[in-house]
Amino acid sequence: MLVAAAFVPGAPVLVPELSGPALSEVAPVRAAAFDVCGRLAEMCSRWVLVGAGDARREMSPRGTLAGFGVDVAVELVPESDEPTDAGMPTTVLIGGWLRTQTAPHVALTVEVVDPAAPAQSCLRQGSDLRSRLASTPEPVGLLVVADGATTITEKSPGGQKRGAVEFQDMIDGALAAADHNTISGLDESRCTEFGVEGRAAWQVASGAFAGPSLASEVRYSGAPFGVGYTVAWWNT
């Protein structure tokens, strides 16, 4: 049964070995991510990661951050002896690293979503996920790994675009309030314009939790590197 969701950014800079001189800037983001993952671990004995990637490829439960310059091992399940997957999506790598740091006893399965999937497809995928988990006896939590706008400041990866700050504020408010209408209605062209990479994952989560009211809050929102990072929490 699906009972909670933790929303975290898919930022490799969360990993201390990759933070470098940005350690102080990323510390509040990492602390908030650890907080919601810790809460998820307290409530849920099983996690499902929702993140953008190629849904057609199969993944080993072991990965590495070597592609970012440091060979930090990532595991989706405890004590896996499977071969290392060198092509694991960044969202899955970061989710797996957070699991290892905060809930090493938890098994993490992956629900990959096409980042370009239309809203209705994402909502339907979320609804299907909820149906599949309905008969699961243990409490299940979603770990939603997604980034916001990449055009917020002059130092953003996509440069600065007018309207990006307001668009990111709208996303943060929707996640804070578990506002399904706003999340499901995120305009795909505007998300593309502002470099919002997390739309599809957020919409899958919205589809999975649509219906009953939720307790919800944002634990962190900001753009320390010109990218919208949001850490949020939902529970039934």
Side-chain angles (χ1 to χ4, degrees), residues 56-126:
R56 298 167 297 179
R57 73 182 298 274
E58 294 187 5
M59 282 179 281
S60 166
R62 296 184 70 242
T64 175
L65 289 160
F68 295 97
V70 181
D71 188 13
V72 176
V74 169
E75 292 186 341
L76 306 184
V77 298
E79 301 180 354
S80 171
D81 59 359
E82 295 291 323
T84 298
D85 183 349
M88 186 177 283
T90 301
T91 54
V92 181
L93 284 170
I94 299 308
W97 179 81
L98 285 168
R99 181 209 74 85
T100 304
Q101 298 300 308
T102 62
H105 60 287
V106 170
L108 180 64
T109 57
V110 178
E111 183 78 13
V112 175
V113 56
D114 180 350
Q120 286 306 312
S121 174
C122 297
L123 295 169
R124 190 162 50 248
Q125 184 174 349

Side-chain angles (χ1 to χ4, degrees), residues 158-224:
Q160 188 175 31
K161 290 190 176 180
R162 181 177 297 178
V165 171
E166 292 77 10
F167 197 77
Q168 184 63 46
D169 286 346
M170 179 184 67
I171 291 170
D172 292 340
L175 292 173
D179 180 350
H180 298 301
N181 287 335
T182 297
I183 294 171
S184 63
L186 286 173
D187 184 82
E188 295 160 39
S189 62
R190 295 281 278 173
C191 287
T192 299
E193 177 186 357
F194 295 128
V196 177
E197 299 177 353
R199 173 194 60 82
W202 292 325
Q203 289 177 335
V204 169
S206 183
F209 279 93
S213 60
L214 303 170
S216 58
E217 62 175 315
V218 161
R219 299 292 294 165
Y220 175 91
S221 62

Side-chain angles (χ1 to χ4, degrees), residues 25-27 83 145 155-156 199 206 223 233:
E25 293 177 270
V26 78
V145 185
K155 295 182 178 180
S156 296
R199 173 194 60 82
S206 183
W233 173 261

